[in-house]
Amino acid sequence: MENHRSIRSFTNEPVSEEMISAVISAAQHAPTSINGQGISIIVIKDKNTREKMAELTGGQTWVAQAPVFLIFIADLYKTSLGVKNAGYEQIIHESVEGMMVASVDAGIALGTAITAAESLGLGIVPIGAVRKNPETVIDLLELPEYTFPMVGLAVGHPKDHSRQKPRMDIKTFRFDEKYDKDRLPELINNYDRQIAKYLDEIGREQEKSWSNFVANAYKTVYFPDVYPTALKQGFKFDK
């Protein structure tokens, strides 16, 4: 698991249905809050659909190149049916907590799928930009109310293995007993220098540093259509 790296170049070799089913099964068996199982996965193998998804995710060609593209769906429509069966009306999708639960559960399922795929020798790259044009993605996948495309995962046989990107010092990740904010500035500065060297070595020196890359993304809401589209899907965030 510590050998993970994102793969953005895949061979033409198809991924067997046996492998796909193993990855999906592993993700389904991952834990979910209250065993709500409010996550679904849409498996896309159709070439035209993959090409459309590559376009909708901002021209990420590896989405089309990978023979399989998985989309992890926050699925509170499914849970609403269970609540209805019990004689009640679902409210959780109207709350911030509902989307937080769905986000955490989708992340757990994604991480499990990644581990399963890599254990089979497959390469993967997560695609958050399925949220770039969410309304179009929802229409394309015919998603019902109370659902939302959270993240994608391109899966295939790796054409080559990319160089592993350095991570921050473990002290920025692990805190014992209490959060220690005082240690972070120096550790982040050190990491910026390390990443600048790495980026220069792989020919992406224009990205400059981790801080610069994060700033370019986080200085704005980079997927502004998420909120209005989520409202249309029935997620209200008012509780």
Side-chain angles (χ1 to χ4, degrees):
M1 293 172 73
E2 290 183 359
N3 196 39
H4 162 75
R5 69 275 318 276
S6 292
I7 300 297
R8 293 180 173 85
S9 183
F10 300 94
T11 70
N12 293 326
E13 182 182 355
V15 177
S16 70
E17 181 56 38
E18 182 181 13
M19 284 185 168
I20 296 171
S21 294
V23 170
I24 299 297
S25 179
Q28 187 192 19
H29 282 83
T32 59
S33 178
I34 68 156
N35 192 35
Q37 302 183 57
I39 298 295
S40 297
I41 297 177
I42 295 183
V43 181
I44 298 176
K45 294 189 283 185
D46 179 78
K47 184 175 183 294
N48 292 332
T49 307
R50 286 187 285 111
E51 289 176 350
K52 181 64 175 177
M53 288 304 307
E55 175 188 338
L56 292 172
T57 56
Q60 299 193 53
T61 55
W62 38 88
V63 172
Q65 187 187 48
V68 179
F69 189 55
L70 308 179
I71 302 184
F72 293 72
I73 307 297
D75 192 350
L76 296 185
Y77 174 76
K78 182 164 50 180
T79 60
S80 75
L81 298 180
V83 174
K84 185 177 180 180
N85 280 349
Y88 296 93
E89 179 182 356
Q90 178 172 275
I91 297 297
I92 194 67
H93 62 273
E94 298 180 358
S95 73
V96 173
E97 174 65 10
M99 186 56 81
M100 290 183 73
V101 165
S103 299
V104 171
D105 287 353
I108 293 172
L110 173 68
T112 304
I114 287 172
T115 301
E118 291 181 333
S119 76
L120 297 172
L122 298 170
I124 58 87
V125 58
I127 307 293
V130 296
R131 304 186 304 276
K132 183 178 177 64
N133 294 287
E135 191 165 3
T136 306
V137 171
I138 287 167
D139 290 342
L140 181 66
L141 303 179
E142 300 182 3
L143 299 184
E145 61 184 350
Y146 313 149
T147 63
F148 202 87
M150 302 297 280
V151 64
L153 187 68
V155 181
H157 294 277
K159 192 172 186 178
D160 52 53
H161 288 276
S162 60
R163 182 172 168 181
Q164 190 175 43
K165 187 178 296 182
R167 289 295 192 263
M168 286 188 183
D169 191 302
I170 192 68
K171 291 179 182 178
T172 67
F173 187 78
R174 174 180 172 169
F175 298 89
D176 293 314
E177 310 302 337
K178 296 180 181 180
Y179 192 97
D180 181 4
K181 66 180 183 180
D182 294 334
R183 73 170 75 157
L184 292 179
E186 181 181 0
L187 292 171
I188 289 174
N189 288 337
N190 291 341
Y191 185 60
D192 275 341
R193 288 189 287 270
Q194 183 184 13
I195 282 291
K197 182 175 182 295
Y198 162 81
L199 292 170
D200 183 63
E201 291 171 350
I202 65 171
R204 288 164 51 185
E205 60 278 359
Q206 71 277 6
E207 295 178 25
K208 297 181 181 179
S209 68
W210 173 82
S211 291
N212 189 74
F213 186 82
V214 171
N216 284 335
Y218 285 2
K219 66 185 179 183
T220 184
V221 178
Y222 52 88
F223 295 151
D225 290 337
V226 167
Y227 180 66
T229 304
L231 292 179
K232 290 181 180 180
Q233 287 296 101
F235 296 93
K236 295 184 179 180
F237 309 107
D238 62 358
K239 295 178 176 62

